[in-house]
Amino acid sequence: MTVTVNGEATELADNTTIEQVLARHLGPGRAVSGVAVALNGEVVARTEWGGRRLRAHDRVEVLAARGGG
Amino acid sequence: MDDPFIIAGVTFSSRLIMGTGGAPSLDALERAVVASGAELATVALRRVSPAARGSVLDVLERTGCRLLPNTAGCFTARDAVTTAQLAREAFGTDWIKLEVIADERTLLPEAVELLDAAETLVDDGFAVLAYTNDDPVLALRLEAAGCAAVMPLGSPIGSGMGILNPFNLALIVDSLSVPVILDAGVGTASDAAIAMELGCDAVLAASAVTRARESATMAEAVRKAVEAGRLARRAGRIPRRLYAEPSTTFEDLPDLKPVPHPD
């Protein structure tokens, strides 16, 4: 299925969880502290990352701190 | 600490808050934050770049700064509220510097969306520090909405134009009970001193420091200006007068007229 991750179309296996998307997007061993996830414009709590399965055409935003503001 | 600065029950000894945008590198930012003496610094939330090395969070942790996430780049109340909730999820803090801007050219606050977002976030348990226009009426509305601090601009973000309307700033300081923090417009140290002399509780500086030729030196200058301005405010300035007021009276002035001696 195709899911948009940080604005880029990404091919993922069906039933991929948010936790799996993070591992793939951040690279192995990268800490997930200081990271937030939005799914289709809504906040997904950290506690839901493991259980939340994506569907085709979902929009995932993986966010972190950046200098600014 | 004889002059503590308190936001939402948290006490700071420094009255300078650092913005973290515009620095050429994380190293330069770290040197500037250290030189600024800031204990609170604001960061934006953006898409993770997998290739990025180091993080502004590491800089703030090393410098012992408390984190103040912001909603920079949001144009609507809805986006700002979602961004604040994402920041709470990412950083585990319910403090938020709320920014809702109207357009990219001026970056001026969108008053209606700002107030809407402030009310929603206060209801959701956030300590809201609201970036706002230098409008005394809107500042009062933000206080009434439950904001923990109100952050009027001196002039547009990054403009370095200083405080364009000191009278409005004085009105805001006079009418609010929550802390008033000058946000945006500081171009150099004297602007920060003027803000503090006008009665602001603190100053936020970003571009003035991070884009200065020598950012750490400017950070030190702004820190000292904030301290000097605060002291001057507490000391009480003399009133402005149209005419001179001699500091020594004319009493007991010697007679030095070159009159010829009568003999």
Side-chain angles (χ1 to χ4, degrees):
Chain A
M1 64 175 178
T2 305
V3 170
T4 305
V5 181
N6 282 359
E8 290 194 13
T10 308
E11 281 304 315
L12 296 174
D14 288 355
N15 291 321
T16 298
T17 64
I18 285 179
E19 196 168 68
Q20 289 166 330
V21 171
L22 285 176
R24 178 190 159 116
H25 192 76
L26 298 174
R30 176 94 175 255
V32 290
S33 62
V35 171
V37 175
L39 175 59
N40 303 322
E42 302 283 345
V43 184
V44 184
R46 193 172 287 269
T47 49
E48 296 172 29
W49 289 353
R52 192 69 167 266
R53 296 185 188 283
L54 297 176
R55 297 181 306 165
H57 311 301
D58 273 345
R59 281 179 301 120
V60 181
E61 296 286 345
V62 184
L63 308 170
R66 179 95 55 89
Chain B
M1 202 186 311
D2 67 337
D3 185 29
F5 168 46
I6 300 170
I7 310 175
V10 177
T11 302
F12 299 92
S13 54
S14 166
R15 290 172 179 270
L16 175 58
I17 301 168
M18 277 292 289
T20 58
S25 69
L26 288 175
D27 277 352
L29 177 65
E30 184 159 347
R31 286 193 297 275
V33 171
V34 168
S36 75
E39 298 164 325
L40 184 63
T42 188
V43 297
L45 201 61
R46 289 293 180 270
R47 285 174 170 168
V48 168
S49 150
R53 287 170 166 246
S55 160
V56 66
L57 287 189
D58 302 334
V59 170
L60 298 186
E61 198 178 322
R62 281 197 295 272
T63 54
C65 265
R66 188 187 175 101
L67 193 66
L68 175 60
N70 63 60
T71 63
C74 290
F75 290 84
T76 64
R78 194 204 172 272
D79 276 6
V81 167
T82 305
T83 302
Q85 291 165 341
L86 286 163
R88 178 165 63 184
E89 201 58 36
F91 311 127
T93 173
D94 53 14
W95 284 35
I96 192 77
K97 179 181 171 226
L98 175 62
E99 300 181 37
V100 190
I101 53 170
D103 67 77
E104 287 181 37
R105 241 179 119 211
T106 67
L107 303 178
L108 288 171
E110 211 315 331
V112 177
E113 297 289 318
L114 172 67
L115 189 56
D116 182 3
E119 286 168 347
T120 305
L121 289 171
V122 168
D123 282 349
D124 195 12
F126 282 88
V128 177
L129 290 75
Y131 166 62
T132 178
N133 287 296
D134 58 357
D135 175 350
V137 180
L138 180 57
L140 272 173
R141 290 291 300 269
L142 289 164
E143 180 181 67
C147 288
V150 174
M151 307 181 75
L153 54 77
S155 50
I157 292 169
S159 71
M161 294 277 280
I163 297 165
L164 296 182
N165 195 335
F167 304 99
N168 269 14
L169 212 56
L171 283 175
I172 292 171
V173 164
D174 201 43
S175 54
L176 264 60
S177 307
V178 296
V180 175
I181 303 166
L182 182 86
D183 184 3
V186 172
T188 187
S190 54
D191 296 328
I194 289 169
M196 297 305 291
E197 286 173 2
L198 285 167
C200 288
D201 294 284
V203 167
L204 187 145
S207 306
V209 169
T210 58
R211 295 203 161 104
R213 197 172 59 244
E214 293 183 29
S215 53
T217 307
M218 183 59 87
E220 184 184 351
V222 175
R223 168 169 68 80
K224 288 176 172 169
V226 167
E227 289 168 4
R230 177 65 183 175
L231 286 173
R233 172 71 179 190
R234 291 174 69 195
R237 62 153 299 143
I238 59 165
R240 289 185 171 82
R241 299 170 189 278
L242 189 55
Y243 291 101
E245 172 93 350
S247 53
T248 311
T249 67
F250 288 96
E251 254 173 67
D252 297 329
L253 206 60
D255 181 358
L256 302 175
K257 282 191 288 293
V259 181
H261 196 274
D263 290 347

